[in-house]
Amino acid sequence: MNKLSQITIGALLALGTVSAAQAGTLDDVKKKGFVQCGVSAGLAGFSAPDDKGNYSGIDVDICKAVAAAVFGDATKVKFTPLTAKERFTALQSGEVDLLSRNTTWTLNRDTAQGLSFTGVTYYGGQGFMVRKSLGVKSAKELDGASVCTETGTTTELNLSDYFKSNGLKYTVVALGSNSEAVAAYDSGRCDAYTTDASGLYATRIALAKPDDHIVLPEIISKEPLGPVVRQGDSQWFGVVKWSLFALVAAEEYGVTAANVDESKASSANPEVKRLLGAEGEFGTPMGLPNDWAYQIVKQLGNYGEVFDRNVGAGSPLKIDRGINALWSKGGLQYAPPFR
Amino acid sequence: MAKQDGAGGGARRASLLYDPAFRGIAFQVVLLAVVLFVGWYLYHNTTQNLAQRNIASGFGFLSQPAGFDIIQAMIPYGSNATYGEAFVVALLNTLLISLIGIVLATVIGFIVGISRLSNNWIVARLATIYVEVLRNTPLLLQIFFWYFAVLRALPGPRQSISPVDGIYLNQRGLYMPVPVTEPGFWTIPVAFILGIAAAVGISVWARRRLMATGQQFPAFWAGLAAIVLLPVLAALVTGVPFTFELPELKGFNFQGGLVLIPEFMAVLFALSLYTASFIAEVVRSGILAVSKGQTEAAHALGIRQGLTLRLVVIPQALRVMIPPMTSQYLNLLKNSSLGAAVGYPELVAVVAGTVLNQTGQAIEVITLTMAVYLTFSLLISLFMNWYNARKALVER
C-alpha cells in the first residue's frame, strides 16, 4: 500500500508540474536550440525541398530570419511539412513554433481560432488555371466546369462565393493535399485548378507541359499571406513580427547582404544604425541580442533580395513585384519606424 | 466477506491491509481515483489552454453558414447550408459507401471463398490469387490504384464511352438516366411493396406445404416474379407514369441524369474488393470447419451438390463465420475514412478536414467524428450479435 500510494502521489505530482511549467515560446526555442517551423510540403518559390531535402522559398526565408534573429544563425531551423488541413492544429498544439506556409490572413483565423498573424510576406489573390485547349479566356466562361482544389483552404470558400455571385454552376473536387489536387487536374479530372495566383505559376512550371496551360486573368480574392503564431504569447509574436519588418525596413534603407557591414559601421542614417544595433537598445526588450536585425540582413538579405531570389526576377517564377513593392514605390510593403 | 467479518471482527482490524477483500476494493478505489483525476486534469488543462489561446469552444459553430461546396450530397445542400448540414451530408456519404460496400464485399467474398474450395483447378487458383494479392497490399494503395490508374485512364467528357444512349462513362464519372416522376407514379412503389409482401406470403405457404405434404414449390422464383411483375403491371396500367432524364453534354461536362463520381467509384471498388478478400477467407474457414461427414451424409441421401451447400454446409458454417464477419464490416466502415485521400466527401474529409479547418474547433469536431464512428460500429456489432444469437447452435 505504501509503495502504491507513493507511486500514485508521484504520478499526480508529475502531472501537476506539467501544467505549472509553461514558459514562453521564445524561451522554449532558445532552450531547444532551433526554431520548429511549419511549411508547405512543396510549392515552388514559397517552400519546396530540393533533391537533398533542403527547403528553400520565401516562406522558408521567414523561418530562417526568425532563427537569425534569435540565434544569430539562420540555419537553426527545423522544418515540418504540413498540408493545409494539418497546419493550424499543428500550431495550436505546439508541434511547431511558427507557421510560415502561404496562409491567408482572415478575420476568423485571427480571432476565433487561437492564431495571430504577424504580418504579410506576400500579397496575393486567387486565380484559375485551365488547359489552353479548352479555349477559355476568362473565369466568367467557366459555367458548368469542374474545379480541383486543396481542401481546408480559403480557396474553397472564395470559389463558392465567386461562382454564386456570378450565377455560374460548378462542381468542386476538394483533395487532401495540394499535390493530389494538381495530379487530379493534370490527369483531366477537372477543367480548372484554383489556388493563389502565385501558386498557380509555381504549379504551372512543375507540370509536364507548362505551355499547355494558361492562368486566367481574373483575381477573385485578396490573399494576404503571412507567418502565424499562437495567440497569447506577445513576446514571440513580437519577435516574428519584427523579423519580417526588419527585412522590409532594410530594403527601404538600401541595406543589403552585401553592404550591411559597411552600413553598420559608417551609415549616417540614425534609423539604419538603430536597425542594425549600432545605436540604442532595440533587441534586449524583445529578449533578443542587439544585433538581431543585422544578423537577418547579413544572412538573408533584405525583403527585396528575398523576393527576387525566390519568386521574383531572379527565380524561375519571375513574378512581378506588383503590389508587393515597397510603399515608397507604389506597393503595400511597409514597416513601422525603428525607433 | 461476511464470514470473515463475523469471524475476525475487531481483533483482525490491524491486519486489514492483508485482507484480500479489502485490498481488492482499495485497489479499485485508487484506480478509479487515478482515472477520474487524469480525466479531470485533461479536461481542465484543455479548457485552460483553449481560453489562453482565445479559441472559442462549444458546438455553436454547427449553425453557422459553411460557405463551401460538396461534390456529392444526398440531401439538398446549397448556398445557405450550415456546418451542421455539411456534417449530415458527410455522414450520409459515409453511410452510403459503407452500406453498398458491405453488401458488395459480402457477395464477392462468398463467391470467392466458395470458389477457392472448388474442384475446378483454374477457378480455385484464380480465387487464391485474388485473395493473396488483395489481402496483402495496403488499402490506400488500392484506392490510389483505382482512382489514379484505372479511372484516370478513361477518356474526357467529349470522347465518353457510351455503350447505349443515355449512359456515358468518362473521367468525370458514370452518367446514367434518372427517372422523373409524373402523376400516378405512386402506384409503382406501392406495387413493389405488395410484391414483396406476396413473396413473403408465398414462401411461408410453400414451407408449410412442404412440411405438411412433402411437395416442393419453386417459392423463390414465384416470389421474384411477384416482386418484378407487380410494379411492371402497375406501370403499364397507369400508362408508364415516368420519363427518363438523360444526361447531356453541355459546355464542359455532362449535365442532368444520375452521376457516380469517380471518387465514389474508386473508394467503393477498393473497399469492397479489399474487404471481400478477407471475407473470402472467413467463408473458406467457415466451410472447412464443417465436418466432411456432413457433406458425405447429404450426398449419401441423394441431395444434390448445390442443395447440400445451401441447406447443410452453409447454415453450419455461418456459426463460425458471423463473429469474424462482424470485424470485417466494422473495418470496412472505418476504412471508408481513407476516401479523404482521393477527395470522396465522407466524414473525415468533410468534417475532420474542411469543417475543422474553417472553424478551428478541433476538439468538438474530432469528438463528433469519433462519436459517429463509435455509434455506427456499435450498431453493426449489436445487429451482428443479434444475428449470431439467432444462428447459434440451439442446444436441447
Side-chain angles (χ1 to χ4, degrees):
Chain A
M1 190 67 177
N2 266 335
K3 218 171 211 172
L4 183 77
S5 58
Q6 271 173 1
I7 294 169
T8 316
I9 290 165
L12 297 187
L13 284 177
L15 277 168
T17 46
V18 177
S19 68
Q22 244 183 9
T25 311
L26 181 62
D27 293 336
D28 288 346
V29 166
K30 281 180 179 164
K31 210 179 292 168
K32 272 193 300 195
F34 59 87
V35 179
Q36 191 74 45
C37 197
V39 293
S40 161
L43 184 63
F46 286 80
S47 116
D50 63 12
D51 48 9
K52 291 183 196 74
N54 298 318
Y55 281 88
S56 66
I58 195 166
D59 284 344
V60 167
D61 279 353
I62 300 301
C63 301
K64 288 183 177 169
V66 173
V70 177
F71 300 108
D73 182 352
T75 61
K76 292 198 168 165
V77 194
K78 288 194 179 165
F79 295 101
T80 307
L82 297 167
T83 66
K85 214 168 114 164
E86 298 159 350
R87 57 189 165 177
F88 299 135
T89 319
L91 180 66
Q92 286 163 349
S93 64
E95 201 185 314
V96 296
D97 304 312
L98 163 67
L99 182 71
S100 180
R101 189 204 174 281
N102 56 303
T103 297
T104 306
W105 186 346
T106 70
L107 188 151
N108 180 271
R109 288 174 177 174
D110 209 16
T111 54
Q113 299 202 19
L115 310 168
S116 282
F117 284 79
T118 62
V120 179
T121 43
Y122 184 93
Y123 289 95
Q126 184 178 345
F128 295 93
M129 177 164 68
V130 296
R131 268 173 217 81
K132 264 187 192 158
S133 58
L134 282 180
V136 171
K137 294 274 174 281
S138 153
K140 298 248 161 63
E141 296 168 33
L142 286 175
D143 193 16
S146 52
V147 186
C148 281
T149 186
E150 183 180 2
T151 193
T153 56
T154 49
T155 310
E156 235 177 326
L157 307 178
N158 297 332
L159 182 66
S160 172
D161 284 356
Y162 180 78
F163 276 82
K164 263 165 214 156
S165 60
N166 283 290
L168 307 174
K169 277 194 193 141
Y170 77 111
T171 31
V172 63
V173 183
L175 287 111
S177 77
N178 191 48
S179 56
E180 277 156 14
V182 173
Y185 164 75
D186 200 22
S187 68
R189 173 68 181 94
C190 296
D191 300 304
Y193 167 69
T194 181
T195 188
D196 293 353
S198 54
L200 290 178
Y201 288 104
T203 302
R204 199 172 77 118
I205 55 166
L207 290 174
K209 287 181 185 160
D211 290 340
D212 288 359
H213 306 267
I214 57 162
V215 174
L216 298 177
E218 281 86 356
I219 295 295
I220 66 165
S221 69
K222 288 184 290 186
E223 307 285 337
L225 311 178
V228 197
V229 295
R230 277 182 294 279
Q231 252 177 48
D233 186 344
S234 49
Q235 187 188 34
W236 182 242
F237 177 73
V239 168
V240 177
K241 179 168 61 178
W242 283 92
S243 296
L244 180 57
F245 286 145
L247 286 168
V248 175
E251 185 184 7
E252 192 178 333
Y253 305 138
V255 183
T256 64
N259 70 16
V260 66
D261 285 312
E262 192 194 322
S263 304
K264 189 180 182 183
S266 59
S267 175
N269 185 341
E271 193 137 13
V272 171
K273 289 189 153 176
R274 287 194 292 268
L275 171 72
L276 299 177
E279 205 179 280
E281 282 286 325
F282 291 97
T284 2
M286 278 199 285
L288 296 179
N290 217 30
D291 68 341
W292 62 280
Y294 163 83
Q295 293 294 349
I296 293 177
V297 183
K298 174 80 185 159
Q299 297 178 41
L300 296 158
N302 61 36
Y303 179 78
E305 290 174 275
V306 168
F307 190 96
D308 277 1
R309 179 168 69 228
N310 293 305
V311 295
S315 76
L317 291 176
K318 307 221 180 308
I319 296 175
D320 200 58
R321 272 298 281 271
I323 52 172
N324 283 296
L326 289 181
W327 67 284
S328 49
K329 290 178 184 156
L332 295 171
Q333 287 294 353
Y334 183 97
F338 275 69
R339 63 162 67 249
Chain B
M1 247 196 314
K3 216 192 257 171
Q4 269 188 353
D5 283 355
R12 293 191 58 177
R13 188 152 296 171
S15 54
L16 194 59
L17 217 55
Y18 299 103
D19 183 346
F22 173 78
R23 280 169 66 147
I25 293 169
F27 277 121
Q28 299 209 30
V29 168
V30 170
L31 181 68
L32 186 69
V34 170
V35 169
L36 284 179
F37 176 78
V38 171
W40 169 83
Y41 172 76
L42 285 175
Y43 174 78
H44 174 76
N45 192 36
T46 309
T47 46
Q48 205 179 22
N49 280 337
L50 287 179
Q52 194 187 359
R53 279 165 207 171
N54 254 339
I55 302 178
S57 60
F59 287 92
F61 70 92
L62 285 174
S63 56
Q64 300 288 316
F68 59 90
D69 289 278
I70 302 178
I71 189 170
Q72 178 186 305
M74 282 186 285
I75 57 165
Y77 178 85
S79 47
N80 305 321
T82 61
Y83 285 118
E85 286 171 277
F87 169 72
V88 175
V89 166
L91 179 70
L92 290 175
N93 284 343
T94 289
L95 285 184
L96 178 76
I97 206 150
S98 303
L99 289 179
I100 301 180
I102 284 176
V103 172
L104 269 181
T106 310
V107 173
I108 302 169
F110 258 86
I111 295 172
V112 175
I114 292 173
S115 303
R116 231 188 138 173
L117 295 169
S118 164
N119 290 326
N120 183 320
W121 192 83
I122 293 181
V123 169
R125 285 303 161 279
L126 283 177
T128 308
I129 291 170
Y130 172 90
V131 169
E132 295 306 335
V133 170
L134 275 91
R135 201 174 55 147
N136 293 312
T137 46
L139 178 55
L140 186 60
L141 198 69
Q142 294 186 29
I143 293 178
F144 282 140
F145 169 78
W146 286 105
Y147 190 64
F148 284 111
V150 178
L151 296 173
R152 283 290 149 274
L154 292 169
R158 267 156 241 276
Q159 293 84 34
S160 297
I161 300 168
S162 178
V164 268
D165 256 5
I167 295 183
Y168 303 94
L169 181 64
N170 60 45
Q171 279 185 329
R172 310 285 162 83
L174 178 62
Y175 292 80
M176 291 173 294
V178 68
V180 182
T181 59
E182 284 171 17
F185 181 79
W186 61 271
T187 54
I188 297 176
V190 169
F192 180 71
I193 293 166
L194 283 178
I196 292 175
V200 172
I202 292 171
S203 102
V204 170
W205 170 80
R207 202 177 167 76
R208 276 208 198 120
R209 199 173 78 127
L210 180 72
M211 290 302 164
T213 67
Q215 283 173 311
Q216 294 196 349
F217 182 81
F220 175 76
W221 296 110
L224 189 68
I227 293 173
V228 174
L229 289 180
L230 277 177
V232 171
L233 200 68
L236 290 178
V237 168
T238 50
V240 195
F242 59 87
T243 49
F244 280 101
E245 181 195 289
L246 297 179
E248 260 182 286
L249 187 60
K250 271 191 216 151
F252 298 98
N253 296 306
F254 281 92
Q255 315 279 342
L258 180 75
V259 57
L260 292 185
I261 54 171
E263 290 75 25
F264 174 80
M265 291 195 280
V267 178
L268 181 67
F269 291 165
L271 270 184
S272 45
L273 292 175
Y274 175 80
T275 313
S277 69
F278 288 89
I279 291 183
E281 288 295 90
V282 171
V283 169
R284 186 171 71 107
S285 66
I287 291 174
L288 287 178
V290 178
S291 154
K292 202 163 169 32
Q294 297 282 326
T295 317
E296 287 168 349
H299 285 171
L301 289 172
I303 301 175
R304 277 176 288 122
Q305 176 71 40
L307 277 181
T308 307
L309 198 64
R310 226 174 70 206
L311 298 175
V312 178
V313 179
I314 292 191
Q316 297 187 66
L318 272 181
R319 290 172 192 146
V320 183
M321 280 156 48
I322 293 169
M325 285 287 239
T326 312
S327 310
Q328 293 310 324
Y329 292 164
L330 293 181
N331 283 344
L332 192 143
L333 172 78
K334 290 180 286 181
N335 285 339
S336 70
S337 59
L338 289 173
V342 291
Y344 176 68
E346 46 71 59
L347 205 60
V348 167
V350 174
V351 179
T354 310
V355 174
L356 196 165
N357 246 278
Q358 304 297 2
T359 62
Q361 309 281 341
I363 292 168
E364 291 82 357
V365 164
I366 296 298
T367 309
L368 211 56
T369 313
M370 280 168 64
V372 167
Y373 282 108
L374 188 65
T375 309
F376 287 108
S377 294
L378 289 177
L379 284 178
I380 292 179
S381 272
L382 272 178
F383 172 78
M384 292 300 279
N385 285 343
W386 166 81
Y387 187 63
N388 192 31
R390 256 191 61 141
K391 290 286 167 187
L393 193 62
V394 182
E395 293 186 31
R396 289 177 224 273

